Amino acid sequence: MDDMLNTQGHVRLGSSAGQPLTRRDGILKVTGAAPYAADARPEGVLHAVTLAAGIARGRVARLNTAAAEAHPGVVKVYTPANTPPLALSPDEKIHPFVWRMEVLQDDRVRYAGQPIAMVVAETLEAATEAARLLAPDYEAEPHRVTLDDAEPFDTETLAFGRPANMTKGDLATARATSARHVTTQVETSAQYHNAMEPHAITAQWVGDRLEIDTPNQAIGLSKQTFAAFLGIAPEQILLRSPFIGGGFGSKAILYGAQLLTILAARDLDRPVKLALRRDQVYGPTGHRAPTRQTLRIDMDDMGRITALDHDTITLTSSFDEFLESASNASHSLYAAPVLRTTHHGRRADVGTPGPMRAPGEAPGSAALEIAMDEAARAAGLDPLDFRLLNHADTDPSSGMSFSSKALRECYAEAAGRFGWAGRPQEPRQMREGRLLKGWGMGTAQFPCPMFQAAAHATLRADGSAVVETSAADMGQGAWTALAQIAADGLGIDIDRVEFRSGHSDLPDAGVAGGSGHTATAGTALFNAGADAVRQLADLATQDPASPLFGAGNAGVTARSGRLWRNDDDRSEAYEDILARAGLDLIRGEGTGAREGEPTHAMFSHGAVFAEVLVDPDLGQVRVSRLIGAFAAGRIINPALARSQLLGGMIWGIGMALQEEALHDIRSGRFVNNDLAGYHVPVTADAPMVEAITVHEDDPFVNALGVKGVGEIGVTGTVGAIGNAVWHATGVRPGRFPIHPETLI
Ligand code: MOS
């Protein structure tokens, strides 16, 4: 409706968007009533347990299947000898979100933790014990599990087909004529998503209809992928994923054990449930790959960047292609007239890495912000002044204007709140008792993609509505924020909106990832609501019995469950319009996507300031204060957005100081595949974290003006902490997480 467009070119939202509403699903969650996939208990359900490979490369020579099968309660033991084939090769890539499906089609071991057998039993205990009884013998082959010994390979493309290399301008000339330069090397470690809810699936065949309960960030795509590998029609699959106990990218990609569970359910004609243990998540469900990044920043004698060169070496598996796009973090952040970004892949005997919260950007930003701090020091400038001097007013890689960019406001807001002014330039100048104190900063940036979504919005005779799209709530608050947008599209109070979601029979909401879900699914929901209202307005304005008669569709506004004339104060309730027309309901449809080629560079931005305390004797680092200010377009729900930003920043603490998945180099196995050994920040590690949002009006990013907040909090933060550690100690961290022994 034209009248819903404001002068800025994006839609005017109503009274729900912008409210800090608490989660609509909160009571279900705190009372334990929210159904997660592993809670499903269909009649007669069997329990599956996978056996994980204990070597990193070779083949399984022998499995004691007789012992496992003889265990009471065991129904069947699946090995490569008896697992039914799939409709497609396990290596088939039907779209860019497919990794190799490890489904026991051969006896090869390609990484430690790879499923090499699966036991199905009447109880979880029986399946667990029988899996142990399989006691595999291996023919091991020499393996490689680290960046140092991995095998280089040539690649032109990164994750999701992005180009691996980009050059703009004449690097040789820029280097030759620059006044000074710094070269920085930073390594980042392999990390695991460690969602609170480990991966799980319950599968049940009802005739030729397959019902799946599994946490999933991309319901429509996953339904298609399952169907293709099973050789059935997508319409035969019902996938339910109403609640996801954390995804962070790991639940956007399917893994073979899900298909194995489905195959077993078909083979045994019983429902089968598989719930991975924490240690079983390590290997087959994706991780953040380690990187080794080298940056060279050239400057003129004023400290203006003349060239930025960012190279990344990163690992992938021996059989898939996913490469972390870390160097791309340098594409659009600082005003470098000459720019080169390169990536080099190496293959190792590890599970395929995958997208993990701020994929590419998180490690890339960590290295870039360390390099920027070193460059500021070389230029003799305060780190914030240096970044302001090199602020990009247009996107250096594309030359396009930014759709909006309130980064200067973020710097000012966060620096002011932090008290950055007066920071000593030299390191080791501040103390708190016997602890060294340091301040550091980093810039945050994340792109604003949109995917494809569809939605329905149905107004009912009583003036309430049901809205439908298969969105994914992995804890970020989609159940609430999307309902707020839908309510405003419909012009009714959110309490009158029933939201159906997380279910594959609903219109597809696209991928919940890339920080684009609110923008994409929200646009579809808003448009569906507006479509229903448009039909309602057509009815009323053409009906002589309505007070709206003759106003014209563009002459009315929807608000509080009524249509209002714009030219006087008369209005009519939705239920009255429907009743007079003799209708039980009106159904609107809408889609969300970005049309055409982008005309602007679109990013969320932010600034993160960190204070650390370092024990000079033990090297132990504590983040004592962390303050971030972010500009992310329109904020639909300030409470949920703050929660997302805080969560991202706390992930940054983990990446900077704690999180690291370690392989035993000799065995190739993980040594810390549990939450006792793999440390994530707890409350004591994040005593004071503050996330502020800065007003930003974006007329170009999409009709809602929404940019997304899911991932940007990680960026900026890791570098800010690393820079604060330098300021405290005078030691430049060359590696994340920072190890205490490197500081003493
Ligand atoms: Mo994400 S790594 O886009 O879930």
Side-chain angles (χ1 to χ4, degrees):
M1 297 171 87
D2 296 342
D3 62 295
M4 297 182 108
L5 294 175
N6 70 14
T7 52
Q8 294 294 323
H10 55 58
V11 294
R12 186 193 307 143
L13 291 175
S15 54
S16 280
Q19 297 300 314
L21 303 183
T22 54
R23 289 162 204 271
R24 299 186 103 197
D25 50 332
I27 299 220
L28 284 179
K29 283 187 175 164
V30 298
T31 57
Y36 289 84
D39 295 330
R41 285 179 195 282
E43 181 74 25
V45 69
L46 296 169
H47 298 265
V49 169
T50 54
L51 177 65
I55 61 167
R57 185 184 178 92
R59 56 178 290 273
V60 180
R62 200 182 77 89
L63 287 166
N64 195 347
T65 46
E69 284 162 356
H71 190 273
V74 169
V75 176
K76 189 156 178 178
V77 178
Y78 291 93
T79 70
N82 67 347
T83 300
L86 292 169
L88 297 177
S89 148
D91 287 303
E92 195 87 37
K93 301 285 179 273
I94 57 166
H95 58 72
F97 280 83
V98 179
W99 276 217
R100 181 176 202 278
M101 293 296 176
E102 194 53 60
V103 280
L104 307 182
Q105 304 290 308
D106 61 40
D107 63 8
R108 292 293 308 167
V109 175
R110 296 170 177 84
Y111 57 92
Q114 174 195 315
I116 53 170
M118 186 174 85
V119 178
V120 179
E122 296 288 347
T123 65
L124 177 61
E125 292 78 4
T128 302
E129 175 61 8
R132 192 187 68 80
L133 292 171
L134 284 169
D137 288 332
Y138 302 101
E139 279 170 18
E141 297 167 15
H143 59 255
R144 323 165 198 243
V145 290
T146 68
L147 265 177
D148 289 317
D149 61 6
E151 180 160 317
F153 70 103
D154 291 331
T155 183
E156 295 297 313
T157 53
L158 304 172
F160 311 125
R162 294 174 192 151
N165 304 307
M166 189 272 261
T167 308
K168 188 187 144 250
D170 179 352
L171 191 62
T173 304
R175 282 186 171 178
T177 56
S178 290
R180 51 175 75 94
H181 74 268
V182 293
T183 300
T184 306
Q185 194 175 89
V186 174
E187 293 190 20
T188 62
S189 303
Q191 299 177 312
Y192 271 76
H193 308 78
N194 279 304
M196 192 70 84
E197 175 205 29
H199 296 64
I201 180 169
T202 306
Q204 177 171 24
W205 290 83
V206 181
D208 64 358
R209 171 108 164 149
L210 169 63
E211 296 185 12
I212 304 169
D213 294 281
T214 194
N216 191 276
Q217 293 175 236
I219 290 175
L221 204 57
S222 297
K223 181 169 87 165
Q224 286 175 31
T225 310
F226 279 134
F229 279 92
L230 293 165
I232 62 176
E235 298 71 42
Q236 289 173 255
I237 298 179
L238 171 61
L239 195 165
R240 287 178 292 245
S241 178
F243 297 102
I244 305 172
F248 314 116
S250 76
K251 290 165 183 165
I253 311 292
L254 300 183
Y255 51 98
Q258 289 170 304
L259 277 170
L260 273 179
T261 307
I262 294 167
L263 289 175
R266 182 160 68 183
D267 185 39
L268 301 170
D269 200 19
R270 301 256 307 259
V272 180
K273 177 174 2 186
L274 172 79
L276 297 185
R277 289 193 313 259
R278 177 69 56 192
D279 61 296
Q280 293 169 329
V281 170
Y282 281 67
T285 66
H287 62 281
R288 196 196 297 286
T291 69
R292 178 174 296 152
Q293 301 175 60
T294 307
L295 289 98
R296 173 170 160 141
I297 298 178
D298 287 84
M299 293 165 280
D300 65 17
D301 53 12
M302 304 286 291
R304 280 182 300 244
I305 297 173
T306 52
L308 173 54
D309 187 7
H310 190 161
D311 179 65
T312 298
I313 300 172
T314 186
L315 273 192
T316 192
S317 64
S318 64
F319 49 88
D320 270 331
E321 306 292 330
F322 183 97
L323 286 175
E324 188 82 6
S325 51
S327 298
N328 291 3
S330 288
H331 278 176
S332 303
L333 188 46
Y334 298 111
V338 174
L339 199 53
R340 180 170 74 175
T341 55
T342 46
H343 294 85
H344 299 280
R346 291 190 183 173
R347 293 196 180 280
D349 302 305
V350 297
T352 305
M356 177 163 147
R357 202 173 192 176
E361 273 78 6
S365 160
L368 173 60
E369 293 305 315
I370 297 291
M372 285 295 287
D373 236 52
E374 288 205 51
R377 180 145 180 86
L381 290 172
D382 170 83
L384 176 55
D385 292 341
F386 180 69
R387 285 168 175 82
L388 285 167
L389 178 69
N390 288 292
H391 181 276
D393 297 323
T394 56
D395 175 11
S397 56
S398 70
M400 288 192 282
S401 303
F402 291 99
S403 59
S404 63
K405 184 177 181 180
L407 175 57
R408 290 181 194 280
E409 291 81 349
C410 293
Y411 284 138
E413 182 75 27
R417 189 82 74 114
F418 185 86
W420 180 259
R423 169 187 175 275
Q425 289 271 71
E426 295 300 311
R428 297 182 78 96
Q429 299 300 304
M430 302 192 294
R431 284 190 173 256
E432 195 162 305
R434 52 179 286 278
L435 302 177
L436 299 167
K437 179 153 89 179
W439 290 354
M441 64 157 303
T443 311
Q445 187 189 44
F446 200 80
C448 312
M450 281 182 76
F451 306 102
Q452 304 273 340
H456 293 161
T458 306
L459 276 170
R460 297 185 284 216
D462 65 355
S464 70
V466 55
V467 299
E468 301 173 304
T469 193
S470 62
D473 193 322
M474 44 191 158
Q476 83 278 37
W479 275 116
T480 309
L482 292 177
Q484 288 177 263
I485 296 170
D488 285 350
L490 286 159
I492 64 177
D493 190 273
I494 189 169
D495 293 337
R496 309 220 71 199
V497 176
E498 179 191 338
F499 184 18
R500 294 187 187 149
S501 185
H503 190 296
S504 69
D505 281 353
L506 301 173
D508 184 29
V511 180
S515 299
H517 204 37
T518 305
T520 309
T523 298
L525 285 163
F526 185 89
N527 288 340
D531 182 38
V533 170
R534 187 181 297 116
Q535 296 174 47
L536 200 65
D538 281 341
L539 288 175
T541 58
Q542 290 165 30
D543 181 350
S546 169
L548 305 170
F549 179 65
N553 193 312
V556 297
T557 303
R559 188 172 75 247
S560 309
R562 306 178 73 84
L563 286 177
W564 303 74
R565 290 184 81 104
N566 295 338
D567 55 0
D568 64 30
D569 59 1
R570 284 183 293 162
S571 68
E572 188 168 34
Y574 291 180
E575 49 266 50
D576 295 337
I577 300 169
L578 284 166
R580 199 147 15 72
L583 293 174
D584 290 336
L585 53 85
I586 279 185
R587 195 174 85 160
E589 297 186 359
T591 57
R594 189 168 282 139
E595 307 294 343
E597 287 300 303
T599 55
H600 291 79
M602 294 178 265
F603 294 89
S604 296
H605 292 93
V608 182
F609 291 77
E611 177 184 276
V612 299
L613 299 174
V614 183
D615 187 312
D617 301 319
L618 303 177
Q620 189 184 47
V621 180
R622 290 279 182 199
V623 176
S624 46
R625 290 194 296 142
L626 194 59
I627 297 179
F630 300 91
R634 193 204 300 263
I635 301 300
I636 296 299
N637 182 317
L640 295 172
R642 173 175 171 272
S643 170
Q644 281 287 85
L645 293 167
L646 290 178
M649 292 168 73
I650 293 167
W651 268 57
I653 296 176
M655 187 164 175
L657 299 177
Q658 298 173 309
E659 292 188 50
E660 175 171 36
L662 293 165
H663 290 270
D664 175 342
I665 293 168
R666 290 159 305 172
S667 71
R669 290 199 295 260
F670 292 100
V671 295
N672 62 341
N673 50 354
D674 55 49
L675 292 178
Y678 183 102
H679 293 174
V680 299
V682 297
T683 305
D685 297 309
M688 198 295 230
V689 184
E690 197 177 325
I692 306 160
T693 48
V694 165
H695 177 81
E696 190 176 63
D697 199 13
D698 193 317
F700 302 109
V701 67
N702 51 56
L704 299 175
V706 165
K707 283 184 168 178
V709 290
E711 293 165 280
I712 187 171
V714 192
T715 70
T717 302
V718 184
I721 293 170
N723 292 332
V725 166
W726 169 79
H727 192 236
T729 63
V731 178
R732 278 282 169 208
R735 186 166 183 280
F736 291 110
I738 298 169
H739 285 199
E741 68 272 18
T742 61
L743 302 179
I744 49 178

